[in-house]
Amino acid sequence: MDDRMFRAAMGKFATGVTVIASEMDGDVHGMTANAFMSVSLDPKLILISVDGKAKMNEVIKNSEKFTVNILSGDQKEMSMIFAGQIKDGKKVEFDTFEGLPVIGDSLVSLACNLYQAHDAGDHTLFIGEVKNLNVQDGEPLAFYEGNYKQMT
């Protein structure tokens, strides 16, 4: 199998869409990610996967804190901004939760402390201990076969 075939196969798994956010040296950084899962209830742990070359990798290692914002079906533009698909310099206003940057109106915002980090291939797996969360009603933004979808 080649990289393209592997990527296409992985795209057959429908996922939600998140924006990971953190702060370093007073600057807020965000990135769109669909590699997210819950890990444990006791303690409350989640996992995100971040490319080793991504700026967010350094930011999380430096700050040892991050948020995971699960996007709602009407936040496609927010996902596209943090995925680098919209490059017109749109300024995103972050809210603050537990002293960390969050995306307003997300279905869920999780405030996490870094629990563990593991290098795995060309990515780092960050396990976060959830310190607090916000939850709102709504439908999620989904991703399938390289395209955004809305749940109905």
Side-chain angles (χ1 to χ4, degrees):
M1 88 191 107
D2 62 12
D3 290 352
R4 186 180 194 91
M5 182 182 210
F6 182 76
R7 186 180 201 109
M10 295 302 99
K12 295 288 187 184
F13 184 68
T15 67
V17 181
T18 71
V19 169
I20 311 303
S22 191
E23 192 171 350
M24 183 171 78
D25 300 328
D27 292 325
V28 175
H29 299 270
M31 66 167 267
T32 298
N34 65 349
F36 161 77
M37 64 181 276
S38 64
V39 174
S40 169
L41 286 174
D42 185 20
K44 291 168 181 56
L45 302 176
I46 56 88
L47 180 143
I48 58 173
S49 180
V50 178
D51 189 310
K53 296 180 214 148
K55 177 74 174 171
M56 185 57 71
N57 196 301
E58 175 189 348
V59 172
I60 293 172
K61 286 178 179 174
N62 183 311
S63 70
E64 298 184 343
K65 296 174 189 273
F66 61 92
T67 62
V68 177
N69 302 273
I70 300 173
L71 300 185
S72 69
D74 61 358
Q75 290 181 305
K76 177 180 171 183
E77 182 180 54
M78 193 66 65
S79 172
M80 294 175 75
I81 290 168
F82 289 105
Q85 297 167 330
I86 296 177
K87 300 179 192 260
D88 66 0
K90 270 196 175 194
K91 178 96 172 116
V92 174
E93 293 295 325
F94 288 90
D95 292 341
T96 302
F97 178 62
E98 297 291 327
L100 296 169
V102 293
I103 303 292
D105 297 324
S106 296
L107 288 182
V108 177
S109 292
L110 305 167
C112 303
N113 288 335
L114 183 59
Y115 186 81
Q116 291 177 342
H118 303 277
D119 290 333
D122 59 3
H123 279 59
T124 301
L125 305 178
F126 291 105
I127 298 174
E129 183 171 13
V130 179
K131 292 307 192 183
N132 206 348
L133 56 82
N134 277 330
V135 179
Q136 296 189 51
D137 288 333
E139 296 297 322
L141 181 62
F143 200 70
Y144 179 72
E145 292 188 326
N147 294 299
Y148 291 101
K149 306 285 183 183
Q150 286 198 253
M151 305 295 285
T152 54

